[in-house]
Amino acid sequence: MTFPVLGLVLIAAVAHAVWNLAAKSVTGRGYAFVLAYHGLSALLLAPVAAVIIATGAQPLNWGLVGAAALSAVFHIAYSVALQSGYDHAPLGVVYPTARGIGPVVTIIIAVAFLGERPTLAEAVGAFTVIAGIAVVTIRPRGGGDGPTSSDGLRRGLAWGGLIGAFIASYTLWDDFAVNHVSDSPLLYFAVSEACVGLIMTVGMVALPGGREKRADFREILLSHKRALVTVAILSPLAYVLVLYAMQQAPVALVAPVRETSIIVGTLLAWWFFGEKNVVLKLVGALVVVSGIGLVALG
């Protein structure tokens, strides 16, 4: 992995951690919040997509729309599960578990079925990153009844596992799409965001509990403007950078390196939400940095 690509992934990681901190601040209105920030992202990306199409840089065709629509389904599942996980368990458990499981599954499938062959140094570096993530998730016995209690840990691991499976799904599909369907990750993601907004709007009308979801949506627009704007801007920024990186480096390397966001996210969870074990988090950070160095040098 070249240093410019590594830089893209690390910037994306920081943006990802910050928007997850903002998302954690919104509780009890998961579906409405996900629809609100994806919808705002789609509106912000629409002019950019129009310019790309108008200039002929990338035509809009049914193949691209179909790929983006499937991506939208994966991202909806991920986003709704993420908000639900944050409602029921500590960010410091859900976030690192989800971001750790996702790249493990991605690496296994990329090597076993997609024919990717990282160098030895890159492979060792990728699994070193995952080892550092595991250190971050450790909770010593006797954690008490606070955010690191055993119940919170179990819930966090369960939600994190589910979210991690969705992460692997959209990562592998989007890697295929930006390398074989669309030359423009920005247009691809803009169409995907529009599909998310459309699908979730239909769901808010057609699914049970629609009235409550619409009330939640209005409340989000009124009372959570800062979190909404933060996520709507940083979420697409983080992921578009990752899509560009996946055009230039194997997904088996991009997936684990982008999870350096876990270090930022868990430190922010300690700072803002009082989640404990900061020493272990710092040890994990050092392990992750070592892994990134191996990936870059490989």
Side-chain angles (χ1 to χ4, degrees):
M1 181 182 289
T2 65
F3 281 101
V5 175
L6 178 62
L8 288 179
V9 180
L10 293 179
I11 293 170
V14 174
H16 192 280
V18 174
W19 81 249
N20 271 264
L21 182 70
K24 171 66 174 175
S25 69
V26 180
T27 59
R29 298 181 174 90
Y31 189 98
F33 183 61
V34 170
L35 171 57
Y37 75 71
H38 277 292
L40 181 55
S41 293
L43 291 175
L44 294 174
L45 288 168
V48 180
V51 170
I52 293 173
I53 296 170
T55 58
Q58 169 70 53
L60 182 64
N61 53 54
W62 287 112
L64 188 153
V65 172
L70 181 55
S71 175
V73 173
F74 289 138
H75 279 275
I76 290 170
Y78 156 73
S79 299
V80 173
L82 183 70
Q83 287 301 129
S84 297
Y86 286 164
D87 283 346
H88 295 92
L91 180 146
V93 181
V94 175
Y95 189 65
T97 302
R99 306 314 302 185
I101 289 175
V104 172
V105 177
T106 300
I107 290 171
I108 292 171
I109 293 177
V111 172
F113 299 104
L114 303 182
E116 293 191 359
R117 294 294 181 267
T119 66
L120 178 60
E122 290 172 332
V124 172
F127 282 99
T128 301
V129 169
I130 294 168
I133 291 165
V135 172
V136 171
T137 66
I138 290 174
R139 293 293 185 275
R141 292 182 181 275
D145 298 325
T148 59
S149 67
S150 59
D151 286 344
L153 177 59
R154 285 194 293 270
R155 289 194 302 270
L157 291 174
W159 279 106
L162 176 64
I163 296 163
F166 291 138
I167 290 171
S169 298
Y170 75 64
T171 299
L172 290 164
W173 176 251
D174 290 343
D175 175 67
F176 170 81
V178 297
N179 283 289
H180 300 284
V181 178
S182 173
D183 293 328
S184 172
L186 191 53
L187 178 60
Y188 171 74
F189 188 71
V191 176
S192 177
E193 287 291 86
C195 291
V196 170
L198 178 61
I199 293 169
M200 294 194 72
T201 299
V202 172
M204 190 166 62
V205 174
L207 292 175
R211 178 177 298 178
E212 290 78 7
K213 289 182 176 65
R214 290 191 291 273
D216 288 344
F217 187 81
R218 289 190 293 271
E219 179 63 22
I220 293 294
L221 297 181
L222 290 173
S223 304
H224 297 280
K225 295 184 182 70
R226 180 178 297 178
L228 173 59
V229 173
T230 299
V231 179
I233 293 174
L234 293 185
S235 176
L237 171 64
Y239 199 59
V240 167
L241 291 177
V242 168
L243 292 177
Y244 276 107
M246 289 194 297
Q247 285 188 321
Q248 303 173 63
V251 69
L253 299 181
V254 174
V257 174
R258 72 179 290 233
E259 307 314 346
T260 52
S261 62
I262 292 170
I263 304 303
V264 181
T266 50
L267 290 174
L268 289 175
W270 163 71
W271 181 265
F272 286 99
F273 300 120
E275 297 183 14
K276 300 177 182 179
N277 307 316
V278 66
V279 174
L280 283 175
K281 298 178 194 301
L282 293 176
V283 171
L286 292 175
V287 176
V288 169
V289 170
S290 300
I292 293 171
L294 288 172
V295 170
L297 294 175

